[in-house]
Amino acid sequence: MENRIKLRGMTCAACAARIERAVAKLQGVRSASVNYASEALTVSYDEKVIRRTEIEEAIRKAGYDVVKEINTVKTRYKIGGMTCAACAARIERAVSKLDGVIVASVNYAAEILNVEYDEGRIDSEAIVSAVKKAGYEVKSEKAVKERDESKVLLTRFILSAAFAVPLLIISMGHMFGMPLPQAIDMMQNPMNFALLQLCLTLPVMAIGWRFYKVGLKSLFRLDPNMDSLIAISTLAALLYGLYAIYRIGQGEAHYAMHLYFEGIATILTLITLGKYLESISKKKTGRAIKELMNLVPKTANIIRDGEEMTVKAEEVLVGDIVVVRPGESLPVDGRVLQGSTAIDESMISGESLPVEKAAGDEVIGATINKTGFIQYEATRVGADTALAKIIELVEEAQGSKAPIAKMADVIARYFVPAVILLAIAGAAGWKIAGHDTVFCLTIFISVLVIACPCALGLATPTAIMVATGKGAQMG
């Protein structure tokens, strides 16, 4: 990493040399150069070994002052473990309160955290640590590629459905005239009827263990999310089911009509299906960016030291002479030196007709050379190319929040606690009105399960991602 540190207190060139020596001897510093005229130190260092604050301390020990400048950095992190808009809001709060963070915004649909921070006051490591302390993970791009979340969710859904469907038939089939074997008939063998349902419910709960892990952890931290609603409602139904089995064992067979095991399994299965469909939606909206990236060729033919060689596109340097033959894509931006051709620039301008190019004309990376043989000088490479800037702009647009999305995040933040309080109040109200515990429990579970705020945080960012993705595809 390279940084520029503004200095104060130098009186001559010897002061500059003294600062250079003090900084250069620090472990992890690669180079240190002081410009006495502009009173600035340019230092290159390994941020894994030494931090900027340690360099500044060394300057102060040498007898000089560091002028505090706001050196803002924008960066993006791929976040794992979010299950609803409340999770996104929680991460934003955790990161925003860090000293030095200017703006923190989470795009729940893209699972991206966008942060703008003062590099002089905080580093990337502290931001990652804050995300992890909030109960979420920061995923590397490699990990994201290796694990396809949609496949995991599809497997979970199929396994859950394999238990939930028989459970529904056993518990509710009699309502549609479907006969059950005598051994598990509700009237003749209520205990077998109840125990079989319990045996089919527990595997579904085990498959959906993440709902409980995330939901209960968030609840204990007094920052409940959608998973908290699922965990509370299904655990309440399970506990009541176990109580009902106990009462059946005591000879009260009518409790067999008040089991809610099929509700637990159905809720978990349908929500897993919803998560799977959500993951498919996220995957599709991100394809436009990947398609743009794939426009850049993997290799480039360049001339160095009078010899033509093939290198990786990312290894092309400013000033290299790039050779492009008919039918090939241009690896980087540049200026034509020799030859003339027609280039398809539709990916940039949308213009379907090829554009004529001759010596002195500017050419853009990722466009396609149609007819002639040209040599051009690379003027912009890597993150400076026109295509890289377009991708960056599209990603920023997808990560930004419209006013309606910000409003949805505010609502989602208070929505879950409000739902829990309403569920408790509803159950308590019916109990005071004289209804039995079974009815009150049904009210409690129903309110928790039906009120899922996930759509609040997903709808708007997904719409933005789809729109910007389509725009990128169409040039």
Side-chain angles (χ1 to χ4, degrees):
M1 175 177 282
E2 189 170 281
N3 255 316
R4 185 174 180 274
I5 301 174
K6 193 75 174 169
L7 306 172
R8 185 188 294 135
M10 292 190 294
T11 56
C12 63
C15 297
R18 184 179 179 189
I19 294 170
E20 285 179 357
R21 290 195 301 273
V23 174
K25 69 182 181 182
L26 295 173
Q27 188 176 4
V29 173
R30 300 189 188 100
S31 64
S33 175
V34 174
N35 186 322
Y36 174 59
S38 62
E39 294 187 304
L41 163 68
T42 301
V43 57
S44 176
Y45 61 95
D46 184 350
E47 60 179 335
K48 294 180 181 177
V49 180
I50 191 170
R51 295 184 180 183
R52 177 181 166 125
T53 51
E54 295 174 75
I55 296 170
E56 291 178 355
E57 187 59 32
I59 294 168
R60 292 189 186 96
K61 284 183 178 179
Y64 304 92
D65 294 327
V66 174
V67 179
K68 283 293 180 184
E69 291 182 300
I70 298 180
N71 187 19
T72 59
V73 174
K74 289 183 179 180
T75 189
R76 303 163 77 246
Y77 302 93
K78 188 75 175 174
I79 305 297
M82 292 192 294
T83 58
C84 67
C87 298
R90 184 177 181 194
I91 294 170
E92 285 180 358
R93 291 197 300 275
V95 175
S96 296
K97 69 182 181 183
L98 295 173
D99 182 40
V101 171
I102 300 165
V103 179
S105 174
V106 174
N107 184 326
Y108 171 55
E111 296 184 321
I112 294 289
L113 164 63
N114 293 289
V115 186
E116 185 177 346
Y117 62 95
D118 180 359
E119 198 176 33
R121 292 159 62 194
I122 192 170
D123 57 16
S124 180
E125 198 175 297
I127 294 168
V128 171
S129 177
V131 173
K132 290 179 177 176
K133 282 182 181 177
Y136 305 91
E137 58 180 314
V138 178
K139 300 189 286 189
S140 67
E141 291 299 322
K142 184 180 176 184
V144 173
K145 289 175 185 175
E146 286 175 353
R147 185 182 180 190
D148 189 340
E149 190 68 24
S150 61
K151 289 181 180 177
V152 175
L153 288 166
L154 179 59
T155 302
R156 280 173 50 189
F157 167 67
I158 292 170
L159 291 173
S160 298
F163 290 98
V165 172
L167 177 55
L168 280 170
I169 293 171
I170 291 167
S171 61
M172 306 184 76
H174 63 278
M175 296 181 183
F176 303 97
M178 297 174 67
L180 287 176
Q182 186 177 336
I184 56 170
D185 185 86
M186 180 172 62
M187 297 300 180
Q188 300 182 51
N189 288 291
M191 181 57 80
N192 291 352
F193 176 75
L195 288 175
L196 181 58
Q197 288 190 50
L198 176 63
C199 291
L200 288 169
T201 301
L202 292 176
V204 180
M205 296 182 77
I207 293 165
W209 64 274
R210 279 186 65 86
F211 292 121
Y212 300 99
K213 179 187 175 183
V214 176
L216 295 176
K217 186 188 288 186
S218 300
L219 188 65
F220 291 141
R221 286 176 170 166
L222 301 179
D223 198 0
N225 59 9
M226 191 193 86
D227 286 348
S228 302
L229 300 181
I230 299 166
I232 295 169
S233 59
T234 53
L235 286 173
L238 176 69
L239 290 173
Y240 183 79
L242 293 174
Y243 171 73
I245 290 173
Y246 166 74
R247 297 302 294 264
I248 292 169
Q250 298 296 308
E252 299 181 57
H254 68 276
Y255 269 91
M257 294 184 288
H258 301 297
L259 298 171
Y260 294 99
F261 292 126
E262 80 285 350
I264 299 172
T266 304
I267 289 163
L268 293 173
T269 302
L270 290 179
I271 289 176
T272 302
L273 174 61
K275 294 282 185 186
Y276 166 68
L277 296 174
E278 182 182 306
S279 70
I280 293 293
S281 172
K282 289 177 183 177
K283 190 194 292 186
K284 285 182 179 177
T285 54
R287 279 181 188 163
I289 294 293
K290 291 177 183 176
E291 286 173 10
L292 280 175
M293 291 177 175
N294 289 336
L295 292 173
V296 181
K298 303 298 180 189
T299 60
N301 296 316
I302 63 170
I303 296 175
R304 280 185 189 165
D305 301 323
E307 291 186 15
E308 185 174 330
M309 62 182 73
T310 301
V311 298
K312 292 180 179 178
E314 58 265 27
E315 293 176 0
V316 178
L317 305 174
V318 173
D320 278 343
I321 307 302
V322 183
V323 178
V324 185
R325 294 173 175 83
E328 294 180 345
S329 294
L330 281 64
V332 295
D333 298 356
R335 185 181 299 104
V336 178
L337 298 175
Q338 291 182 31
S340 62
T341 186
I343 291 181
D344 179 357
E345 295 185 342
S346 58
M347 54 76 62
I348 292 289
S349 63
E351 173 58 61
S352 59
L353 295 175
V355 180
E356 296 294 330
K357 298 288 182 180
D361 290 338
E362 297 287 332
V363 289
I364 302 169
T367 54
I368 302 170
N369 181 26
K370 303 294 284 186
T371 56
F373 173 93
I374 60 168
Q375 291 184 8
Y376 73 93
E377 179 187 2
T379 56
R380 291 187 296 274
V381 300
D384 294 326
T385 63
L387 182 65
K389 295 295 184 186
I390 290 171
I391 292 171
E392 184 182 341
L393 286 170
V394 172
E395 288 178 335
E396 281 184 11
Q398 290 185 343
S400 64
K401 289 191 178 182
I404 189 70
K406 292 176 181 177
M407 185 188 296
D409 287 347
V410 172
I411 295 169
R413 178 179 176 181
Y414 298 105
F415 193 87
V416 178
V419 167
I420 294 173
L421 291 174
L422 282 172
I424 294 170
W430 283 109
K431 187 67 177 175
I432 293 168
H435 284 265
D436 60 18
T437 304
V438 175
F439 181 82
C440 297
L441 185 65
T442 305
I443 296 296
F444 176 74
I445 294 170
S446 298
V447 174
L448 290 177
V449 172
I450 290 168
C452 284
C454 50
L456 283 170
L458 185 66
T460 305
T462 299
I464 292 169
M465 288 181 72
V466 171
T468 51
K470 287 291 181 186
Q473 284 177 327
M474 297 170 73

